[in-house]
Amino acid sequence: MAAAAGPEMVGNVAVQSLRQTMERARTDPASAVVQVELEGNWNLDPAQPQFSSTLPTPQAGPVELKADFPPPLGGQGRAPSAVQYCLYAATACFLSTFALVAALEGVSLRRLSVRASARMNLSRLLDAGPAPVVEQLKWTVQADTDADDATLKRLLQLAEERCPAAWCLRNPVPFETEVARAGQA
C-alpha cells in the first residue's frame, strides 16, 4: 500500500521542502555545498563479489552495495559491475532532476520512466588502446502526462541544465588519487 501523499507532494516530490532548500541556497550559497564521502573495500574472498560499500541514508539506515566485474573482466559476475552502478547513478540523478523540475512547474505525472543506453569501449581498461571509454550515453525519458510537447521539451532542457550527473558528464571534474599503506591513512 502506498503511503498517503501530503499536500505538498507533487509527483512524489516534496515541493515545499524543495522550495525552502532552493531559497536557502539563493540567500546563502554556502548552504548548497555538501561534502559526500564513502568508503569501499576490495574483497579478497573469491566466493564473494569483489567490491562493497555501505552507504548511509537519511531515513532508511545504511545500505550495502556490492559490485563485481563480469567474468571476461576477471570477476565472477555475482553483483552488478561498477560501470552499471555508474550508469544507474547518473540515470537516477537525471530522472530525479526531471521529476523535480516537473514538480516545480506543477506538471502532474501519471508515470515517469527512463531508458539509458551507453556504448562502452573497454580498450583502455584492457590496455588495448586509448579510445574513450564511453562513446555514447543516451537517456530516453517517457512521461505519461497531460502536459503538451513544448512543456515536456522545456522540462527536458531544464533537467539537462540542472542535473548534477549531466554536468559531471559534460565538464571535467578535478580529481586526485593517492595510495597509502593500510592503517596509515
Side-chain angles (χ1 to χ4, degrees), residues 13 21 38 52 58 79 88 90-91 96 105 109 123 126 131 166 183:
V13 174
T21 303
L38 66 90
S52 66
Y88 167 84
T91 302
S96 297
E105 297 286 318
L109 300 166
S123 296
L126 300 172

Side-chain angles (χ1 to χ4, degrees), residues 8-44:
E8 69 174 33
M9 297 297 283
V10 177
N12 200 20
V13 174
V15 176
Q16 181 180 351
S17 177
L18 176 59
R19 288 191 192 283
Q20 290 171 350
T21 303
M22 292 171 74
E23 184 57 33
R24 192 170 35 258
R26 289 182 186 121
T27 59
D28 177 14
S31 72
V33 178
V34 296
Q35 181 73 24
V36 178
E37 297 183 10
L38 66 90
E39 292 185 18
N41 294 294
W42 188 258
N43 191 339
L44 299 174

Side-chain angles (χ1 to χ4, degrees), residues 10-11 98-99 101-109 145-147 151-152 154-155:
V10 177
F98 188 97
V101 296
L104 289 170
E105 297 286 318
V107 173
S108 177
L109 300 166
T145 179
D146 291 330
T151 299
L152 288 174
R154 186 177 82 253
L155 294 175

Side-chain angles (χ1 to χ4, degrees), residues 105-147:
E105 297 286 318
V107 173
S108 177
L109 300 166
R110 287 181 290 274
R111 190 175 76 79
L112 184 64
S113 63
V114 64
R115 176 175 167 71
S117 175
R119 181 175 165 83
M120 308 285 298
N121 185 328
L122 301 178
S123 296
R124 185 176 298 270
L125 173 66
L126 300 172
D127 196 23
V133 176
V134 179
E135 295 179 349
Q136 179 191 21
L137 173 59
K138 180 179 181 180
W139 289 314
T140 303
V141 175
Q142 296 177 340
D144 183 1
T145 179
D146 291 330

